[in-house]
Amino acid sequence: MSVKVEVHQQFPGIYCVSFEKKKLATKNLVPERDVYGERLVKYLDVEYRIWDSYRSKFAAAILNGLKKVPIQPNHKVLYLGAASGTTASHISDILGERGHMYCVEFAHRTIRELINNVCLVRSNMSPVLADARLPEQYLSLVEKVDDIYCDIAQPQQAKVLADNADIFLKAKGWVMLAIKARSIDVTKKPLDVYKQEIDTLKIRGFKIEDVVFLEPYDKAHAMVIGTWK
Amino acid sequence: MKTTIVVCVMGVFGFGEVNKIIDVVLFPKDSKEIANILDKIETGSIIGELNALIKNLQNKGYGVFIFENSRLAKRVSEKLSINVDVVIPSESGEILRGNLDKYALDVGFVKHSDEIYDWVHNVSMELAKIKVRNAAKKRDLLIIQAIQTIDELDKTLNLFVSRVREWHGLSFPELYRLVEKHEMRISLINNLGRRENFVFENLKREGVSLKKAEQIAKIAQASMGVKLDDDDIDQIQKLCKSMLVLYTVRHSLERYVNTMMEDIAPNICVLAGPLLGGRLIALAGGLTNLAKMPASTVQVLGAEKALFRALRSGARPPKHGIIFQHSLLHDSKRGQRGKVARALAGKLTIAARVDGFSGRYIGDKLKEDLKRRIDEIKEDKKLRLLKEKNHVRKS
């Protein structure tokens, strides 16, 4: 089987793998170890992890034509809602040894997996068991970051993101917000929900750079990219 | 003069008015210890390092202390009676968090600026582990596991019971109607085996009432079932044996949940019984979660599918979730169940809040109130019917 891995044309740290189909991948920071059962591919003595766009909204957004990926090698990142580390591990790959990521997760059951399976072997990931709605609780653990990635499927997620950005985001920092319309209000139309969350971001001083819908990978989801005005 | 106190992974920092470090007390260089200290600070205890720093700063003439943690600030002002202020985030804190690696070198916490990230990683790992451990200490999580095991055992046992009914029924199909209690029937099959052994003496020894034993023995002789070989019956008995073990596990779990529920949620226990109470806690994900829920949510816990379908499509919402298992609810008439469910959920919510936060015992009063309300609902219905009758008669 012929496998070919190429650097992604636009975004550093991200790769394109072509075998049966074209897929995204990241360079595996911890060779020979997978995180969620994803496929590992070796090409020219470097190991890559296939990035499943059905499981990671970040990958789905890139495939659906995201204009900019703010998260880049050597950045500091705050990840709200890291869960068991599916997307987070790929971001950790992109950041590399000299970057650092703070993974905030509220559920102690899921952070247990995150600690044991992911953070233990990836020294650029720090787990933080805390409620993202109360950023002052992890003030002493987290530093200023270049980007914030927010995937907390709950109402007021834009507000939570802005609260965290006020405290932790650097002056020219970027934010990425994965909106799950169904978690905010099942009775409203997804488009209205996106608009409402985007408006919240605008009021809190963000400039919206791009919005991508995640169909067909996720239903009623959108990815919003913003930066400080 | 004002000073800002900032806590980070390295230690506690005191900054002056132009955001310059005046003094710093570093933590011991052990990630486990640092994690312990940070955990204590978060809950507002005044640790030795902080005390030392405040003393030093006071000696240097500083009188107002700015904190980034309101709980800590409150404790400090109470315990050490100094002037405090809370700013989140403070200017000095912003600068420290913006240049963590530089400050780590400056105060001599690390020799190379990259090392600080190993510290951050290790400390955050230890701190997260401490918090996971604390969460697991809660007794209600044990109840959740136990109650879910009971439900799964019931499912499994029902499955096996129907299997044994078919299998042993080949030889003695009448037994199913004769002995209605599953556990008793399974234990009879386990101990007696083939139909030929279902005679009066044996049944009496197994604790079947005399009248029943006579009846069974009579029907067993005239049964339409086939005769099974020892080998055939052996396999059935093996299955029955494991089922009896599962029954004992279920009984002991039930006793365990009873005592645990009486211990941690006595009020819910009195209102809803230990099993239903436990299921409510399981659905909410813990006692405190249940206590934080509004009564309307408790009312439909377990009917989420129907509830969200109703919200999406505008159909009629469910009247009750798992609280339907309460005898008050499924014994009442159809038209009154909505009202009864609301009353029950309201009282259960009060009970959950008391259990979760104060721990007093007000169960008897709640039960009394609930009973009165239920009577009222029933009375109301009767009155209305009476009125309608009179109305019809008049017209």
Side-chain angles (χ1 to χ4, degrees):
Chain A
M1 192 182 59
S2 66
V3 178
K4 215 172 132 203
V5 180
E6 293 166 320
V7 177
H8 194 285
Q9 305 258 309
Q10 282 169 288
F11 311 131
I14 299 172
Y15 301 83
C16 290
V17 177
S18 38
F19 43 122
E20 304 111 46
K21 245 172 155 186
K22 210 166 168 186
K23 281 185 176 156
L24 291 178
T26 53
K27 201 188 277 181
N28 196 354
L29 193 67
V30 194
E32 288 176 16
R33 220 186 138 109
D34 65 313
V35 174
Y36 54 97
E38 74 281 17
R39 201 160 161 183
L40 304 176
V41 173
K42 219 164 189 171
Y43 181 69
L44 300 181
D45 278 339
V46 184
E47 194 177 276
Y48 298 88
R49 292 167 54 227
I50 303 291
W51 196 353
D52 187 349
S53 45
Y54 284 94
R55 300 201 41 188
S56 169
K57 286 162 214 154
F58 196 167
I62 294 174
L63 287 180
N64 280 2
L66 197 66
K67 273 185 242 145
K68 177 164 170 88
V69 172
I71 292 170
Q72 284 168 18
N74 304 338
H75 271 199
K76 309 268 186 308
V77 176
L78 175 62
Y79 192 129
L80 306 174
S84 44
T86 310
T87 303
S89 66
H90 284 288
I91 296 182
S92 148
D93 281 347
I94 297 174
L95 298 179
E97 301 276 3
R98 297 183 60 86
H100 203 83
M101 171 160 54
Y102 300 88
C103 310
V104 178
E105 172 56 45
F106 181 49
H108 54 86
R109 183 65 190 81
T110 36
I111 206 168
R112 219 165 75 192
E113 320 262 279
L114 182 72
I115 294 171
N116 290 336
N117 297 346
V118 189
C119 294
L120 196 65
V121 288
R122 290 172 178 266
S123 59
N124 65 355
M125 288 173 77
S126 294
V128 180
L129 202 175
D131 190 344
R133 285 174 295 188
L134 306 167
E136 60 268 22
Q137 284 192 350
Y138 41 91
L139 213 51
S140 51
L141 213 53
V142 180
E143 57 174 327
K144 285 275 191 180
V145 295
D146 301 286
D147 319 286
I148 300 183
Y149 184 94
C150 177
D151 184 3
I152 46 168
Q154 62 158 319
Q156 298 193 314
Q157 45 179 253
K159 181 186 167 289
V160 173
L161 172 60
D163 286 348
N164 277 277
D166 280 343
I167 296 182
F168 295 114
L169 194 58
K170 282 184 188 169
K172 281 181 182 160
W174 289 71
V175 292
M176 298 180 74
L177 173 64
I179 303 178
K180 181 179 174 189
R182 290 279 174 252
S183 296
I184 292 177
D185 196 335
V186 279
T187 60
K188 281 190 193 149
K189 286 197 187 114
L191 272 181
D192 295 337
V193 175
Y194 303 150
K195 197 163 169 295
Q196 169 199 328
E197 295 301 296
I198 288 171
D199 283 345
T200 315
L201 283 184
K202 280 182 184 160
I203 292 166
R204 296 290 294 264
F206 285 98
K207 187 166 162 255
I208 306 301
E209 298 281 346
D210 198 5
V211 181
V212 177
F213 303 116
L214 304 188
E215 259 100 15
Y217 305 107
D218 283 293
K219 256 189 217 162
H221 282 66
M223 181 72 76
V224 178
I225 310 282
T227 175
W228 282 128
K229 231 172 218 168
Chain B
M1 276 193 297
K2 276 187 189 171
T3 174
T4 311
I5 309 287
V6 183
V7 183
C8 78
V9 182
M10 296 176 266
V12 275
F13 287 66
F15 285 90
E17 304 206 330
V18 286
N19 299 320
K20 265 203 132 137
I21 299 181
I22 313 160
D23 201 355
V24 55
V25 180
L26 297 179
F27 293 142
K29 285 200 185 176
D30 176 88
S31 41
K32 265 190 189 153
E33 251 176 79
I34 298 178
N36 265 324
I37 292 171
L38 288 179
D39 185 45
K40 276 184 198 153
I41 289 179
E42 205 173 285
T43 50
S45 15
I46 302 162
I47 40 120
E49 281 83 357
L50 183 63
N51 220 342
L53 181 75
I54 292 175
K55 285 255 161 62
N56 290 350
L57 291 169
Q58 273 176 326
N59 289 341
K60 284 180 183 162
Y62 288 93
V64 180
F65 293 79
I66 300 169
F67 285 88
E68 288 186 311
N69 175 336
S70 48
R71 211 191 275 183
L72 185 62
K74 206 175 150 215
R75 284 293 283 276
V76 169
S77 78
E78 280 168 7
K79 285 257 158 108
L80 306 175
S81 55
I82 53 174
N83 282 326
V84 296
D85 203 354
V86 180
V87 181
I88 303 172
S90 67
E91 233 174 87
S92 312
E94 292 270 272
I95 293 172
L96 174 64
R97 281 189 293 275
N99 307 285
L100 201 64
D101 42 355
K102 193 176 141 284
Y103 276 99
L105 269 184
D106 282 357
V107 298
F109 191 77
V110 291
K111 293 208 170 60
H112 192 273
S113 64
D114 278 354
E115 289 168 35
I116 186 64
Y117 289 107
D118 293 336
W119 280 101
V120 170
H121 177 254
N122 292 338
V123 170
S124 67
M125 288 286 277
E126 294 301 335
L127 189 58
K129 278 185 202 163
I130 291 175
K131 287 186 176 171
V132 170
R133 213 171 295 138
N134 287 343
K137 264 188 206 152
K138 287 187 198 146
R139 307 278 287 166
D140 47 352
L141 298 184
L142 292 171
I143 291 190
I144 294 177
Q145 296 298 332
I147 207 95
Q148 284 173 347
T149 311
I150 288 182
D151 288 346
E152 275 154 16
L153 277 175
D154 281 347
K155 249 194 219 164
T156 316
L157 282 167
N158 273 336
L159 193 70
F160 285 153
V161 160
S162 56
R163 170 60 52 221
V164 171
R165 181 194 176 179
E166 295 301 319
W167 198 354
H168 189 263
L170 293 174
S171 121
F172 192 4
E174 294 84 355
L175 186 63
Y176 186 77
R177 287 252 170 267
L178 289 171
V179 186
E180 295 229 312
K181 225 173 154 256
H182 294 330
E183 199 181 345
M184 184 69 195
R185 190 168 64 249
I186 297 297
S187 114
L188 281 181
I189 295 173
N190 180 55
N191 296 341
L192 301 181
R194 40 206 310 181
R195 192 181 70 229
E196 290 77 15
N197 294 339
F198 281 74
V199 290
F200 182 75
E201 283 304 309
N202 286 346
L203 287 164
K204 208 176 88 183
R205 202 182 49 217
E206 291 298 324
V208 182
S209 70
L210 293 182
K211 214 176 128 197
K212 195 90 194 170
E214 230 169 274
Q215 194 192 356
I216 296 174
K218 210 171 123 197
I219 293 178
Q221 273 189 335
S223 170
M224 61 172 121
V226 294
K227 205 175 161 195
L228 290 181
D229 290 342
D230 280 345
D231 227 22
D232 303 330
I233 206 80
D234 236 24
Q235 303 306 320
I236 302 177
Q237 278 174 310
K238 268 184 193 144
L239 176 61
C240 290
K241 195 170 218 164
S242 353
M243 286 170 72
L244 289 175
V245 174
L246 289 185
Y247 272 118
T248 53
V249 173
R250 194 203 182 279
H251 294 318
S252 92
L253 267 177
E254 205 175 321
R255 278 195 300 277
Y256 170 75
V257 169
N258 274 0
T259 49
M260 285 275 273
M261 281 294 288
E262 264 161 32
D263 195 26
I264 75 149
N267 293 305
I268 297 180
C269 208
V270 154
L271 274 187
L275 287 183
L276 177 55
R279 286 192 186 108
L280 283 169
I281 293 178
L283 282 169
L287 182 58
T288 23
N289 289 14
L290 184 65
K292 284 176 186 164
M293 282 179 174
S296 53
T297 306
V298 174
Q299 190 188 337
V300 294
L301 265 184
E304 284 81 2
K305 203 173 157 196
L307 175 68
F308 285 108
R309 193 202 308 127
L311 282 176
R312 256 202 304 274
S313 65
R316 285 152 47 124
K319 287 190 277 297
H320 32 60
I322 196 152
I323 59 168
F324 186 69
Q325 291 176 358
H326 197 284
S327 57
L328 266 180
L329 199 46
H330 65 239
D331 285 352
S332 54
K333 294 197 188 75
R334 258 178 169 273
Q336 295 174 347
R337 279 181 192 159
K339 276 184 185 162
V340 175
R342 237 178 304 137
L344 177 60
K347 291 299 173 209
L348 275 174
T349 311
I350 297 173
R353 287 179 192 167
V354 175
D355 285 334
F357 299 122
S358 88
R360 274 180 302 136
Y361 180 73
I362 56 164
D364 292 333
K365 191 184 162 293
L366 285 177
K367 207 169 179 185
E368 185 69 23
D369 288 350
L370 181 63
K371 198 173 161 286
R372 209 176 310 133
R373 175 71 188 122
I374 303 284
D375 289 344
E376 232 173 73
I377 294 171
K378 286 185 178 156
E379 206 55 36
D380 192 41
K381 181 88 176 186
K382 267 187 208 156
L383 276 179
R384 242 196 0 246
L385 281 176
L386 214 66
K387 263 185 202 162
E388 273 167 23
K389 254 186 202 163
N390 289 340
H391 195 71
V392 173
R393 223 173 273 162
K394 268 176 209 164
S395 63

